[in-house]
């Protein structure tokens, strides 16, 4: 009888604790608290450090029982639970209870409710769980006409924390944008959408060597997404098969060519000469190789031709221009004209 009474007493204690935990999180969810508040309240209730991590953004929140952020180093968790949304694991919650847990059952229930509450917060406020994003939100984030409050809200709904840097990339790609976004920024926040027939990728970070073959891209460098988007579109216009990925800050004074009215560019004699040369793919390829290398012999190596063959082609092309391409001034004029011609109708 004494053993049965002891078991019933323990059951009552667990039941009381379980009800308290359920009511506690129900109250927090009704108050629509954010993730830091959830972690803080959980740490106070559990009387140990509580943590939340979102896989998509890499955001980690650790709170101590006194309501402040927990300090490093991070010890191994005493127990964990996944955060799931639409049957997808989007993060994890945990407790860092030193020593032997007082009640593993109550800790498990607390984490279960914390995970449910965290999923509810993510669903309500973001971040979105997939790489593809609502084009309207992306367009709002990169619009020059958007006020800063609306831009900040759009970025938050897209999954970018206030302090998180946002890089903007303009792309033309046969590869689906969601796959491309995942390649460019693995394990970090990234969203992609098609806006005005141009792929837009917003990313916390862009790995320089992560662009697959066949992708043309322009990378903006400004801190504000609207300015970065303007830079990214400009850089994309300068991309070529030989130089498929262009950083705006690498253009320097060449970026000014993007501001030249197209009618003025077409009327320029050198640009018109490039247009005539472009009717011959062989001549255009030779001119591009020579302008890219600045050397007859290096152009020959690039084209896998004998340098004498390239010299003959350049002499013919020079006659179309009316200048000697092997002279420094001729090379400079040809390079500028070629770039200006590429920007036409782009």
């Amino acid at each position: 009888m004494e053993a049965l009474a002891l078991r019933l007493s323990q059951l009552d204690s667990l039941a009381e604790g379980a009800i308290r935990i359920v009511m506690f999180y129900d109250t927090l969810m009704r108050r629509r608290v954010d993730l830091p508040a959830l972690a803080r309240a959980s740490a106070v209730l559990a009387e140990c450090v509580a943590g939340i991590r979102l896989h998509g953004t890499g955001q980690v929140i650790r709170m101590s029982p006194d309501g402040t952020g927990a300090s490093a180093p991070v010890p191994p968790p005493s127990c964990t639970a996944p955060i799931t949304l639409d049957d997808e694991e989007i993060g994890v919650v945990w407790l860092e209870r030193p020593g032997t847990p007082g009640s593993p059952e109550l800790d498990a229930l607390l984490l279960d409710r914390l995970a449910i509450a965290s999923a509810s917060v993510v669903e309500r406020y973001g971040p979105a769980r997939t790489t593809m994003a609502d084009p309207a939100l992306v367009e709002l984030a990169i619009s020059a006409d958007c006020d800063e409050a609306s831009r900040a809200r759009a970025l938050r709904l897209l999954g970018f924390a206030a302090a998180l840097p946002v890089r903007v990339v303009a792309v033309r790609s046969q590869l689906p944008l969601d796959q491309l976004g995942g390649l460019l920024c693995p394990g970090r926040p990234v969203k992609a959408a098609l806006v005005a027939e141009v792929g837009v990728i917003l990313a916390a970070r862009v790995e320089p060597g992560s662009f697959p073959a066949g992708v043309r891209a322009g990378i903006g460098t400004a801190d504000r997404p609207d300015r970065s988007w303007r830079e990214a579109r400009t850089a994309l216009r300068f991309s070529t098969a030989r130089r498929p990925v262009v950083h705006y800050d690498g253009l320097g004074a060449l970026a000014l060519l993007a501001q030249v009215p197209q009618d003025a560019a077409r009327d320029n004699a050198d640009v018109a000469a490039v247009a005539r040369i472009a009717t011959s793919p062989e001549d255009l390829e030779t001119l591009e190789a020579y302008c890219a290398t600045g050397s007859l012999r290096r152009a020959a190596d690039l084209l896998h031709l004998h340098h004498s063959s390239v010299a003959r082609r350049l002499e013919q092309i020079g006659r179309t221009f009316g200048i000697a391409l092997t002279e420094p001034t001729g090379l400079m004029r040809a390079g500028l004209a070629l770039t200006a011609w590429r920007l036409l109708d782009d």
Side-chain angles (χ1 to χ4, degrees):
M1 290 293 294
E2 291 179 358
L4 178 60
L6 179 60
R7 291 175 61 189
L8 289 174
S9 173
Q10 291 174 341
L11 179 62
D12 289 343
S13 176
L14 287 173
E16 181 182 355
I19 292 172
R20 179 186 172 206
I21 290 172
V22 171
M23 293 177 62
F24 182 83
Y25 281 99
D26 283 350
T27 300
L28 289 177
M29 293 173 71
R30 283 197 302 271
R31 292 178 178 173
R32 296 175 178 264
V33 299
D34 58 12
L35 291 178
L38 269 178
R40 185 179 299 109
S42 300
V44 172
L45 178 63
E47 299 181 343
C48 69
V49 172
I52 301 173
R53 184 185 190 282
L54 298 182
H55 298 327
T57 63
Q59 181 183 14
V60 177
I61 303 169
R62 294 175 63 244
M63 292 293 179
S64 60
D66 62 6
T68 62
S71 59
V74 182
S78 54
C79 50
T80 64
I83 304 172
T84 58
L85 193 55
D86 296 337
D87 298 323
E88 178 184 355
E89 183 176 327
I90 62 169
V92 64
V93 295
W94 70 89
L95 296 178
E96 299 171 16
R97 190 181 296 284
T100 304
S103 175
E105 295 86 354
L106 292 181
D107 278 358
L109 178 60
L110 186 151
L111 285 180
D112 181 64
R113 298 299 295 181
L114 174 57
I116 292 172
S118 299
S120 177
V121 171
V122 171
E123 184 176 35
R124 184 180 300 119
Y125 300 113
R129 299 175 304 284
T130 61
T131 297
M132 292 304 294
D134 181 350
L137 280 179
V138 172
E139 193 164 6
L140 193 61
I142 62 177
S143 173
D145 300 325
C146 177
D147 62 84
E148 290 308 306
S150 298
R151 192 190 320 281
R153 181 176 182 276
L155 289 172
R156 186 178 72 249
L157 291 173
L158 288 167
F160 296 94
L164 203 63
V166 180
R167 296 288 174 260
V168 184
V169 184
V171 298
R172 297 192 186 279
S173 169
Q174 297 299 318
L175 192 69
L177 287 177
D178 57 340
Q179 295 182 28
L180 181 58
L183 291 173
L184 298 185
C185 192
R188 302 285 294 277
V190 58
K191 293 292 176 285
L194 191 66
V195 176
E197 299 184 355
V198 177
V200 184
I201 294 178
L202 305 177
R205 180 181 177 184
V206 177
E207 297 293 342
S210 56
F211 289 89
V215 174
R216 298 279 188 91
I219 304 175
T221 58
D223 291 334
R224 281 181 40 167
D226 56 328
R227 294 174 182 169
S228 186
W229 168 237
R230 185 168 63 247
E231 293 176 352
R233 283 186 302 167
T234 298
L236 178 63
R237 295 178 64 192
F238 284 86
S239 65
T240 67
R242 296 186 186 278
R243 190 188 180 192
V245 179
V246 178
H247 289 254
Y248 180 82
D249 59 1
L251 290 174
L254 284 176
L256 296 173
L257 288 176
Q259 300 178 29
V260 175
Q262 294 205 352
D263 287 343
R266 286 193 183 91
D267 290 341
N268 181 269
D270 287 351
V271 176
V274 174
R276 293 194 297 274
I277 292 166
T279 60
S280 168
E282 183 180 87
D283 287 345
L284 180 61
E285 185 182 28
T286 301
L287 179 63
E288 288 178 335
Y290 180 61
C291 290
T293 61
S295 162
L296 190 153
R297 290 188 177 275
R298 287 202 295 271
D301 290 341
L302 195 62
L303 295 168
H304 305 293
L305 294 172
H306 194 273
H307 65 87
S308 60
S309 299
V310 175
R312 285 193 296 271
R313 289 187 187 181
L314 290 177
E315 184 179 358
Q316 176 62 39
I317 293 170
R319 283 196 288 269
T320 304
F321 271 105
I323 56 177
L325 293 182
T326 53
E327 296 293 327
T329 301
L331 175 60
M332 180 184 66
R333 283 177 55 178
L336 288 174
L338 179 61
T339 301
W341 173 78
R342 288 198 193 106
L343 296 177
L344 293 176
D345 301 319
D346 191 28

